[in-house]
Amino acid sequence: AQSVTQPDIHITVSEGASLELRCNYSYGATPYLFWYVQSPGQGLQLLLKYFSGDTLVQGIKGFEAEFKRSQSSFNLRKPSVHWSDAAEYFCAVAPTGTASKLTFGTGTRLQVTL
Amino acid sequence: NAGVMQNPRHLVRRRGQEARLRCSPMKGHSHVYWYRQLPEEGLKFMVYLQKENIIDESGMPKERFSAEFPKEGPSILRIQQVVRGDSAAYFCASSPTVGQGLYEQYFGPGTRLTVT
């Protein structure tokens, strides 16, 4: 069965600092990969996705993620964090080739200090 | 284009009552997914529906829970005889019919169910 691991439960960074959130997956093939952000009391917003092709994908709000097949990872990065980025971030995977359920990681809560 | 709509946003039920959660997908989307988020946890898949069909209900508890997506109207997640452990946020997502968009799920704001 596929699974997603986000090893960092909680991360604190200073505003303006760079950010990297880790995501590792376990799956028989290369799945479709997603990062979502959830603000308190809100639904999930899609930040970016990887289906195939260029392993560095750009998303909204200045986020990017890099797919590394050898490491089964899809880490999320941002060069300079803004206070408004404080939220919970979820990595998710889905099987390729067919619409199907997403399997989510447990999330990383990002706190931004001023 | 309105996003995924869910109502109610907050629902309080006493133990033993029924809870009905509604989800209207984005316009043009015919695939609906329900997920449950327990406090301090990630989202867990419950059920995937297309119009008038349940495609995958592998994450749905075998008893008390049911889902439908009729030809007309919203998708409904129904929980009978609620218990305190059903307290959670329930999220609906939808995706388009064709193309790569099929694999992108857009989430609603969720319904927060509290069982007292």
Side-chain angles (χ1 to χ4, degrees):
Chain A
Q2 57 198 33
S3 65
V4 179
T5 301
Q6 293 182 246
D8 303 305
I9 296 172
H10 188 210
I11 283 183
T12 300
V13 300
S14 300
E15 189 175 40
S18 63
L19 172 70
E20 182 168 26
L21 302 182
R22 295 183 289 166
C23 172
N24 293 93
Y25 66 89
S26 173
Y27 188 61
T30 299
Y32 291 154
L33 297 156
F34 306 84
W35 274 100
Y36 284 86
V37 60
Q38 183 181 32
S39 297
Q42 302 297 314
L44 278 72
Q45 182 181 21
L46 179 64
L47 281 176
L48 48 75
K49 59 189 182 287
Y50 174 78
F51 292 153
S52 64
D54 192 345
T55 56
L56 184 64
V57 294
Q58 302 297 321
I60 62 171
K61 304 184 179 186
F63 285 92
E64 66 178 26
E66 185 172 12
F67 167 61
K68 292 186 177 179
R69 185 190 308 272
S70 61
Q71 298 176 20
S72 297
S73 69
F74 188 56
N75 294 348
L76 182 71
R77 300 195 295 246
K78 186 169 185 178
S80 177
V81 170
H82 188 262
W83 64 266
S84 60
D85 293 324
E88 186 122 27
Y89 291 80
F90 292 97
C91 181
V93 302
T96 55
T98 181
S100 185
K101 60 188 179 185
L102 292 172
T103 299
F104 284 86
T106 51
T108 297
R109 181 157 296 171
L110 173 64
Q111 185 176 354
V112 180
T113 58
L114 299 177
Chain B
N1 188 9
V4 178
M5 310 282 283
Q6 289 188 251
N7 66 80
R9 293 291 307 276
H10 299 273
L11 182 62
V12 180
R13 285 286 178 266
R14 291 199 178 99
R15 278 179 297 170
Q17 291 184 320
E18 178 179 286
R20 282 191 180 224
L21 288 62
R22 295 176 192 78
C23 169
S24 297
M26 289 178 69
K27 187 175 180 181
H29 289 194
S30 59
H31 300 249
V32 166
Y33 308 79
W34 286 93
Y35 294 83
R36 177 165 64 177
Q37 184 179 33
L38 294 170
E40 307 299 322
E41 293 188 14
L43 278 74
K44 299 281 194 242
F45 167 80
M46 299 181 74
V47 62
Y48 162 34
L49 310 103
Q50 294 179 24
K51 288 280 187 181
E52 300 184 281
N53 282 304
I54 296 175
I55 307 302
D56 181 352
E57 56 181 348
S58 58
M60 192 89 99
K62 294 289 184 267
E63 296 180 353
R64 302 188 297 107
F65 285 73
S66 63
E68 63 176 8
F69 189 17
K71 187 176 180 181
E72 302 290 337
S75 175
I76 307 286
L77 179 67
R78 182 183 179 204
I79 310 172
Q80 295 178 291
Q81 299 176 317
V82 296
V83 301
R84 287 220 172 107
D86 297 332
S87 295
Y90 292 83
F91 289 96
C92 169
S94 71
S95 64
T97 306
V98 296
Q100 273 200 338
L102 181 63
Y103 312 118
E104 296 181 28
Q105 295 182 22
Y106 296 85
F107 283 79
T111 293
R112 279 151 183 84
L113 172 66
T114 302
V115 180
T116 62

